[in-house]
Amino acid sequence: MKKKLVLILFFILMACSSYAVDLFVPASVKQGGVITVFVKGGEEGLKISLSKGDKFYSNSECFEDNLDGHNVIIGLLGVPSTLPVGTYTVKLEDQTKNIEVIKESFICEDIPLNSHMTSLRQDDGEQRREQARALTKILLKVNKDDVYENGILKKPVTELRITSFYGDRRTYLYDDGTKAKSIHNGIDYSAVPGTSVYAAGEGQIVFAGDRIITGLSVVIEHLPGVYSLYYHLSGIDTELGQSVKKGELIGEVGATGLATGAHLHWEMRVGGVAVKPEPFLSTGIIDKAFILSNM
Ligand SMILES: [Zn+2]
C-alpha cells in the first residue's frame, strides 16, 4: 500500500515538473522586422531572445493577450536592420528554434547640415547623454500587464509624402567638411507645420517633453516592450501617464530639435530595437494569422 502511494506521488511530481511548453517561431523574418513568438502551454514573464552563437541581438518577455476570444501567451522580438542575413536562434528557457533572417533593401542618403544643425548633432554634452539614457530606460521596459493594442495601427498623419524611410543609411555632411554615418530609425512624413499628429494605436503616454535632438517628443506604450515615438513636434496635446485611443490627437507637426524642415518622424520600437513601421499599418503589431494557424 505504502509503495503504491509513493509511486502515485512520484508520477504527480513528474507531471508537475515536465509541463509541456511548445514554442512556435516563423521560418523567416526580414531585417528590421518583428518576430511573433507563440508559446503554447507557457506563462507570461518567460524570457525570449534572438541570438547566434553566444551573441544576443534582441530580448523580451512573454505576455498574455486575447486574440479573437483565445487567451494566448506570446512574445515579440525586434530584428535590427543591421543584422546580417543568416540563421539565428530564438530561445525560450531551454527550448530553441531556428529562424532565417532575410534581406531587406535600404536606401543610402546624404544630408547636408548647416552650422546650427552640425553643432546640435556634434553636441556630446551631459544633458544629451542623460536624455539618451532616460529614453533607453523607458524603451527597454517590458511591463507584462500593459496590453493596450493588438490590432492594425493607423498612420499618425494624413500626409502621404515620405522624405526618409526606415533603415536609410545616412551620411551627415557637416558644415566643417567632416562626415558622420548614421541609420534612420523611423519614417519621415513631410507636412506643413501645425498638421495634426495622431496616436498610431491605443496606449499610454510614457514620455511627453522636449529633447535636444528629437525636439518636442511623445512616446506611447502599446504592448509590453512595444512603443511608438513621435519627434520634432511644434506642440504636444497630451501628457505623461495619459491613456490614448487609436487616432487621438497627441500633437502638431513641427521642426523642433535636429530637423532640416517641418516633418513628423514616426518610429516603432520592440524590445528597444527600432523596427520597420509600415507592416504595423497592414498586418498589425502581432502576426495573428501565424498564432491562429498554430493553435
Ligand atoms: Zn526622421
Side-chain angles (χ1 to χ4, degrees), residues 106-138:
F106 301 108
I107 293 169
C108 291
E109 60 177 358
D110 286 347
I111 300 180
L113 296 181
N114 63 24
S115 61
H116 176 58
M117 292 300 153
T118 295
S119 63
L120 262 187
R121 182 105 215 308
Q122 291 177 334
D123 171 13
D124 191 29
E126 180 51 32
Q127 196 187 359
R128 179 179 168 183
R129 278 183 280 150
E130 176 50 37
Q131 288 180 354
R133 281 194 291 270
L135 184 61
T136 301
K137 202 174 161 196
I138 291 171

Side-chain angles (χ1 to χ4, degrees), residues 63-103:
F63 59 94
E64 187 173 352
D65 197 2
N66 189 287
L67 296 185
D68 298 351
H70 306 280
N71 281 333
V72 288
I73 299 293
I74 48 186
L76 298 168
L77 286 168
V79 178
S81 77
T82 50
L83 201 62
V85 297
T87 309
Y88 289 80
T89 305
V90 172
K91 215 176 249 180
L92 171 115
E93 305 289 298
D94 57 349
Q95 291 201 46
T96 58
K97 282 273 162 74
N98 279 351
I99 187 164
E100 285 302 312
V101 171
I102 55 178
K103 194 172 168 44

Side-chain angles (χ1 to χ4, degrees), residues 170 184 187-188 232 263 265:
R170 285 180 159 179
H184 191 232
I187 300 178
D188 287 350
H232 311 301
H263 72 282
H265 171 103

Side-chain angles (χ1 to χ4, degrees), residues 148-183:
Y148 304 109
E149 174 69 67
N150 60 25
I152 292 169
L153 297 190
K154 182 181 169 4
K155 207 149 71 72
V157 280
T158 50
E159 269 66 18
L160 293 172
R161 201 163 80 88
I162 292 176
T163 46
S164 282
F165 292 89
Y166 164 81
D168 284 0
R169 275 47 181 160
R170 285 180 159 179
T171 303
Y172 285 110
L173 309 173
Y174 295 144
D175 78 327
D176 59 8
T178 60
K179 297 175 181 181
K181 291 204 179 296
S182 142
I183 290 177

Side-chain angles (χ1 to χ4, degrees), residues 49-59 87-89 91:
S49 62
L50 180 69
S51 60
K52 188 169 193 156
D54 53 6
K55 266 187 126 176
F56 285 80
Y57 297 99
S58 189
N59 296 284
T87 309
Y88 289 80
T89 305
K91 215 176 249 180

